[in-house]
Each structure stands twice: as structure tokens, then as C-alpha cells.
Amino acid sequence: MQDDDKETPQTHRLLHDELPKEHEDPLIRRLHIIIRFAIKLLAIMMVLVIIWGVLDVIYVLYTKFISPPVMLFEVADIFVIFGAFMVVLIAVEIFINIRLYLGTNVLPIRLVIATALMAIARKVIILDIATISAEEMLAIAAIVLALGVTHWLVGKQA
């Protein structure tokens, strides 16, 4: 018996068909083509943002590296460097979301949640505790908890 006959866990994934290439209405079909083109344009622009972000990381590292004391980083410098890296990684995650949106009919829910987790992790990493209120700290904690639980629950279904 072939493996194709077995039910795979992927059958439980959410499918979508927001922009079908074939549609009975010619106007809607043309509009879908325009929207797909716009999404491709967004993907190209996101690649440019990623390249720009990598150049920014190089610049940040260079400026922190040559500023006195030379070749030494302070804790604040490390947070700036981490923040620059995380922004680029978040941009990469967004690009992957765009590519998956165009290339599959599966909603990348887990990836979107992981992207949100990465974004809030960046906020936590570069957070200056001296300037944040208790309410803001609780709100960030609630977001991290909610996204973490959601990521875990979505992962359990896969």
C-alpha cells in the first residue's frame, strides 16, 4: 500500500482561495491579477528593505566598533546591535509570509504568529525598563503569553 493513501496531518490545515486565477466574473479576474501583481511588487520591495537592513546592521556594527573605546561594546551598544539584527530577521519573516501567500493555498498561520512573536521579542530585548510603566510591562507580558500559547496550540494541531 502506498503512503499516499494514508491521511496526513496536513489535511487539517486551513486552506484559502482569496485570489483564484480563474473566476467567472471577468472584472474580478482582472482585479485578482492586479492584486497578485501588487503582492509581487511588495515582495520585491521587501527584499530591498532586507538588503537595506543588512547594510544598516553592517553600518551599526562598524560605527559601534570604531567608536571609543575602540573594539569594545557597552551594554547599550549590544542592545542597539541586537535591535538592528532583529529588524532584519522580522523583515525576512514578512517576506516569507508574502511568498507563502502567493505560492500556496495554505494560510501560514503559524508563521504569522511566529513573526509576531519575533517582533515582540525584539521589543522585549531592546526594552528600557527605566522608561516603561507597569501597565506597559503587563501589556507586553500579556501579548507574549497570548502569542506563545497560540503558537503552541496551533503547533499541536499540525
Side-chain angles (χ1 to χ4, degrees):
M1 185 176 255
Q2 292 181 353
D3 289 336
D4 296 338
D5 296 336
K6 295 180 182 179
E7 186 176 329
T8 61
Q10 294 180 350
T11 58
H12 299 291
R13 290 182 151 171
L14 295 175
L15 300 178
H16 72 105
D17 196 19
E18 282 108 3
L19 300 171
K21 292 178 182 174
E22 297 84 26
H23 196 277
E24 63 273 2
D25 186 347
L27 175 64
I28 298 297
R29 190 170 47 246
R30 285 186 199 109
L31 292 175
H32 285 185
I33 291 169
I34 292 169
I35 291 171
R36 291 181 81 73
F37 175 77
I39 293 170
K40 289 177 183 179
L41 189 60
L42 284 173
I44 292 168
M45 289 188 295
M46 185 54 69
V47 169
L48 295 175
V49 167
I50 291 167
I51 292 168
W52 190 273
V54 169
L55 294 174
D56 183 61
V57 169
I58 292 168
Y59 176 75
V60 167
L61 279 171
Y62 176 75
T63 57
K64 297 297 179 188
F65 199 68
I66 64 168
S67 63
V70 178
M71 293 200 262
L72 290 176
F73 294 139
E74 296 179 9
V75 174
D77 296 335
I78 293 172
F79 283 129
V80 170
I81 293 166
F82 283 171
F85 272 93
M86 293 293 287
V87 166
V88 174
L89 292 175
I90 292 166
V92 170
E93 294 290 332
I94 292 170
F95 171 78
I96 293 169
N97 283 324
I98 293 169
R99 192 198 58 77
L100 283 175
Y101 184 80
L102 279 173
T104 67
N105 64 342
V106 176
L107 282 172
I109 293 173
R110 193 165 188 201
L111 183 59
V112 171
I113 295 166
T115 303
L117 271 169
M118 185 174 286
I120 197 69
R122 176 192 180 276
K123 176 72 175 170
V124 170
I125 288 170
I126 65 170
L127 189 66
D128 184 5
I129 296 178
T131 63
I132 192 167
S133 69
E135 292 85 10
E136 290 172 312
M137 184 66 83
L138 286 172
I140 291 171
I143 292 169
V144 170
L145 181 63
L147 286 171
V149 169
T150 303
H151 190 269
W152 176 70
L153 287 173
V154 169
K156 277 185 72 169
Q157 293 177 356

